[in-house]
Amino acid sequence: MTIQEAQETVDQWINTTGIRYFNELTNTAILMEEVGEVARIMSRRYGEQSFKKSDEAVDLGDEMADVLFVLICLANQTGINLTEAMEKNLIKKSIRDADRHKNNEKLK
């Protein structure tokens, strides 16, 4: 699935199953909540925190997909073409960071 296809699929789902988009502020809050759930799993799986019984069966991929879904909702609501935005962002990073990481002693 391309990014554009994902945006179209989410829009179709929202306008049928979801009935309508939540407003942008609500979706921003939901995005933060979903990112927090990813952070919770990461801190337990890769960090020093231990899993609670209720956390043991969580699916990191599913939680990341929740983040992506809400991000796509926000992009659709605000008229952002994520394919174009990603392409521009990669160009910006490529120019800005052309030598930055190569010259970073911490990465060697």
Side-chain angles (χ1 to χ4, degrees):
M1 180 183 296
T2 66
I3 296 171
Q4 182 60 41
E5 289 168 340
Q7 284 193 253
E8 292 167 1
T9 300
V10 167
D11 188 63
Q12 181 180 356
W13 187 92
I14 289 292
N15 287 302
T16 56
T17 306
I19 308 301
R20 67 169 180 82
Y21 285 92
F22 295 128
N23 70 45
E24 295 84 353
L25 185 56
T26 299
N27 272 338
T28 300
I30 293 169
L31 178 63
M32 297 305 101
E33 180 181 345
E34 297 296 351
V35 168
E37 290 175 10
V38 169
R40 180 183 182 93
I41 295 168
M42 296 298 289
S43 70
R44 283 157 174 74
R45 187 169 295 169
Y46 302 102
E48 286 77 31
Q49 284 193 322
S50 59
F51 277 97
K52 296 176 184 175
K53 281 285 185 195
S54 60
D55 293 331
E56 289 177 353
V58 294
D59 180 345
L60 180 58
D62 185 57
E63 296 301 334
M64 287 183 175
D66 285 343
V67 170
L68 183 59
F69 183 92
V70 180
L71 183 65
I72 289 171
C73 286
L74 284 166
N76 287 349
Q77 290 176 275
T78 58
I80 302 296
N81 178 316
L82 284 173
T83 300
E84 291 175 5
M86 190 68 190
E87 288 169 349
K88 288 178 186 176
N89 188 271
L90 285 170
I91 290 168
K92 175 189 77 174
K93 283 177 173 48
S94 295
I95 293 168
R96 180 192 67 200
D97 300 332
D99 294 318
R100 178 174 163 226
H101 299 299
K102 291 176 192 171
N103 296 327
N104 183 345
E105 291 297 319
K106 295 177 185 178
L107 298 177
K108 293 181 180 183

